[in-house]
Amino acid sequence: MSARILVIEDDEAILRFLRRGLAYEGYQVETATNGQAGLNLARDNPPDLVVLDIMLPGIDGLEVCRRLRAGGPVPILILTAKDSVNDRIMGLDVGADDYMVKPFNLDELLARIRALLRRAQPSRPQVLRFADLILDTGTRQASRGERVISLTAKEYELLELFMRHPRQVLTRDMIFDRVWGYDFGGESNIIEVYIRYLRQKLESSAEARLLHTVRGMGYVLREPS
């Protein structure tokens, strides 16, 4: 069954364009032209994904996003003319999963929607292993030998990415896209911060380093030299 997408947008021309483009791709599309109507539709018939403008009449998009996120894990993609880094941070901080700026390319929007829908699908638990490091995707718990390692949500997502791509150099852009889901990594040192957190936890009992920096390229999970 095709995914149902709720578009909350007050510009009628953009709304028609999105309805036509999404329907052509096989999605079921519902639309609302203000925040309250969008919230009512989401409550009465929960969608699989929401495309949301920020500048809406009545309740603005940031507040709509905050309320949608409080109600459950529905993927939310903000689509707006507000293009500063601070605007993007605000949107992500209130619960958006992705953020695109108008004018936008429809093919890119469709690709981001597909990615968000894939992330939202439950996956069968697996036990990932590399050297003496084990990651259980069911319990979201890691261990080295007999030592259990407690991870925050983002630490888990980052480690899972490396465990699924062992010995492969992952660039900053790839890490931002897969773990944080937005594309302004040049403005932040958040990857370095989380790599440091992970190393501290993985090596807290003086174990050999598995997470290595590849200068000028990114990071890699590989056996110690």
Side-chain angles (χ1 to χ4, degrees), residues 48-192:
D48 296 303
L49 182 141
V50 176
V51 177
L52 174 65
D53 188 18
I54 288 182
M55 294 180 286
L56 295 169
I59 304 173
D60 72 15
L62 293 177
E63 180 60 25
V64 171
C65 184
R66 187 178 292 110
R67 296 188 192 184
L68 287 170
R69 179 56 64 235
V74 60
I76 301 169
L77 188 154
I78 286 181
L79 183 64
T80 180
K82 297 174 76 67
D83 63 352
S84 75
V85 170
N86 284 339
D87 289 325
R88 297 187 188 201
I89 291 172
M90 287 177 61
L92 294 160
D93 280 348
V94 297
D97 298 282
D98 203 353
Y99 193 109
M100 281 190 71
V101 175
K102 302 172 184 175
F104 61 94
N105 178 279
L106 181 60
D107 287 336
E108 181 184 0
L109 175 68
L110 292 170
R112 293 193 184 210
I113 285 172
R114 289 192 296 270
L116 289 175
L117 290 171
R118 281 196 304 271
R119 290 177 193 168
Q121 293 175 350
S123 57
R124 182 178 300 173
Q126 293 179 276
V127 177
L128 306 175
R129 301 173 185 272
F130 185 83
D132 62 343
L133 177 61
I134 297 174
L135 184 68
D136 187 324
T137 66
T139 63
R140 298 171 72 90
Q141 193 171 70
S143 61
R144 289 195 77 170
E146 299 298 316
R147 184 170 66 85
V148 174
I149 303 168
S150 178
L151 300 171
T152 67
K154 275 290 179 273
E155 289 167 354
Y156 167 81
E157 291 177 32
L158 183 58
L159 183 57
E160 182 186 15
L161 178 63
F162 282 106
M163 294 285 281
R164 291 190 183 279
H165 299 85
R167 305 181 189 89
Q168 177 182 337
V169 177
L170 304 184
T171 66
R172 286 174 51 86
D173 287 344
M174 180 186 295
I175 295 169
F176 267 102
D177 180 61
R178 301 288 184 85
V179 178
W180 279 270
Y182 54 92
D183 58 1
F184 56 103
E187 305 293 333
S188 172
N189 69 339
I190 195 168
I191 291 178
E192 289 77 9

Side-chain angles (χ1 to χ4, degrees), residues 29-57:
V29 186
E30 290 187 307
T31 61
T33 56
N34 64 72
Q36 189 59 62
L39 287 169
N40 292 343
L41 281 172
R43 179 196 63 212
D44 296 340
N45 193 14
D48 296 303
L49 182 141
V50 176
V51 177
L52 174 65
D53 188 18
I54 288 182
M55 294 180 286
L56 295 169

